[in-house]
Amino acid sequence: MMQAALASRDYTTNQIKPLLVTQQEHQRSFLAQTVPSFAATETLNYLKTSYPDYAYKEAALNPTNLRDRAVDWEADIINTFRNQPGALKEISGERDTPTGRSLFLARPLQADAPCLECHSVPRAAPAAMLRHYGSNNGFGWQPKEIIGAQIVSVPMAIPIRMAGQAFEKLAIYLAAVFVASLLLLDALLLWTVVRPLRQLSTLADQISVGKMDLPELPVRGNDEIAILSGSFTRMRRSLEQALKMLGG
């Protein structure tokens, strides 16, 4: 939002103002559209139609347009910049608003040469501007003086809600991965451990009641289950030979 406001100011200064200041209408009634701060404020006001809790203001202690006059907390920010000229490039923080906590970012506004063309003394200002705004406000600015601040305010409820939604999605994904991993692990245990042991148990039960005409268990791999199956097969063969010797 801050960069968009700066871009709007630059566009107005470099392209709109040169076109409008030469118009006769500007000489008669003063076109505020030639003022960079007015253009930036108006542009960002359109954003508020979709995002009413977002705000941009070029607050000033002594503005020409009274809608830009700083309220108490904005004046505190401006005075902080004025007390430390050049040392502070921006200030950010949180504040309570009627709609909840808000995060703000502020940068100082300095009176440069183009500003002083209209805001030094009333007699230097365009006659149309004096007719429009009067001569009581927005004058007496000094070169390089911090006269105001660009302030962007955004509600914290939106990023907090976005963070909450992201956390919920992460929790769902982690739960899904955990369940899938558990099912996969269960399937692997069933196939590689439980099933072979169940086959060994069934074969042992049948041999214990004298059923020797059973197929041997296949031995695959060299893990503990395979070693146990091989040992059981050798024991069975030994038992069969012992029974044959006894029977013979």
Side-chain angles (χ1 to χ4, degrees):
M1 289 179 64
M2 184 70 77
Q3 291 304 121
L6 292 174
S8 180
R9 289 174 62 94
D10 291 341
Y11 174 73
T12 302
T13 299
N14 297 324
Q15 298 192 40
I16 300 301
K17 184 176 180 178
L19 294 175
L20 296 183
V21 293
T22 58
Q23 300 297 316
Q24 291 297 322
E25 176 66 21
H26 180 66
Q27 305 302 323
R28 293 194 299 269
S29 60
F30 183 73
L31 300 177
Q33 290 78 8
T34 62
V35 182
S37 62
F38 178 88
T41 302
E42 288 294 305
T43 299
L44 271 297
N45 278 343
Y46 283 108
L47 179 67
K48 295 189 66 173
T49 60
S50 299
Y51 302 95
D53 292 332
Y54 287 69
Y56 172 81
K57 183 177 179 181
E58 298 202 6
L61 298 178
N62 181 24
T64 302
N65 190 337
L66 294 182
R67 76 171 181 178
D68 298 327
R69 185 182 297 279
V71 296
D72 291 343
W73 70 274
E74 295 168 340
D76 291 339
I77 293 175
I78 297 172
N79 286 324
T80 300
F81 285 127
R82 290 169 65 91
N83 292 334
Q84 303 179 58
L88 285 177
K89 300 301 181 182
E90 66 179 34
I91 296 175
S92 62
E94 300 176 18
R95 56 182 295 268
D96 289 318
T97 70
T99 57
R101 298 289 290 173
S102 177
L103 181 68
F104 70 86
L105 173 68
R107 293 178 180 173
L109 285 172
Q110 192 176 64
D112 52 17
C115 295
L116 297 177
E117 291 177 2
C118 297
H119 297 282
S120 55
V121 292
R123 64 175 178 273
M129 175 180 159
L130 293 177
R131 289 194 298 270
H132 188 79
Y133 291 113
S135 59
N136 295 324
N137 301 290
F139 298 103
W141 295 5
Q142 301 299 318
K144 304 300 181 181
E145 178 188 9
I146 302 298
I147 49 88
Q150 292 176 285
I151 303 176
V152 169
S153 299
V154 299
M156 294 190 66
I158 293 178
I160 289 175
R161 183 170 68 249
M162 292 173 63
Q165 293 172 347
F167 179 77
E168 290 178 1
K169 289 182 180 180
L170 178 62
I172 292 173
Y173 292 152
L174 288 177
V177 170
F178 175 76
V179 172
S181 300
L182 185 60
L183 292 175
L184 179 61
L185 180 60
D186 286 345
L188 289 175
L189 288 174
L190 178 63
W191 184 259
T192 60
V193 178
V194 177
R195 183 170 175 271
L197 288 177
R198 186 177 297 162
Q199 292 175 339
L200 282 174
S201 176
T202 302
L203 186 59
D205 286 341
Q206 292 177 339
I207 293 175
S208 67
V209 296
K211 294 182 179 181
M212 304 299 294
D213 56 342
L214 299 172
E216 293 184 353
L217 289 175
V219 179
R220 301 185 183 93
N222 55 0
D223 55 11
E224 286 74 7
I225 300 298
I227 294 173
L228 178 61
S229 297
S231 300
F232 186 84
T233 299
R234 290 192 298 272
M235 182 185 71
R236 175 188 174 186
R237 291 172 182 171
S238 299
L239 181 59
E240 288 177 346
Q241 292 177 0
L243 289 176
K244 288 179 181 180
M245 291 175 63
L246 290 174

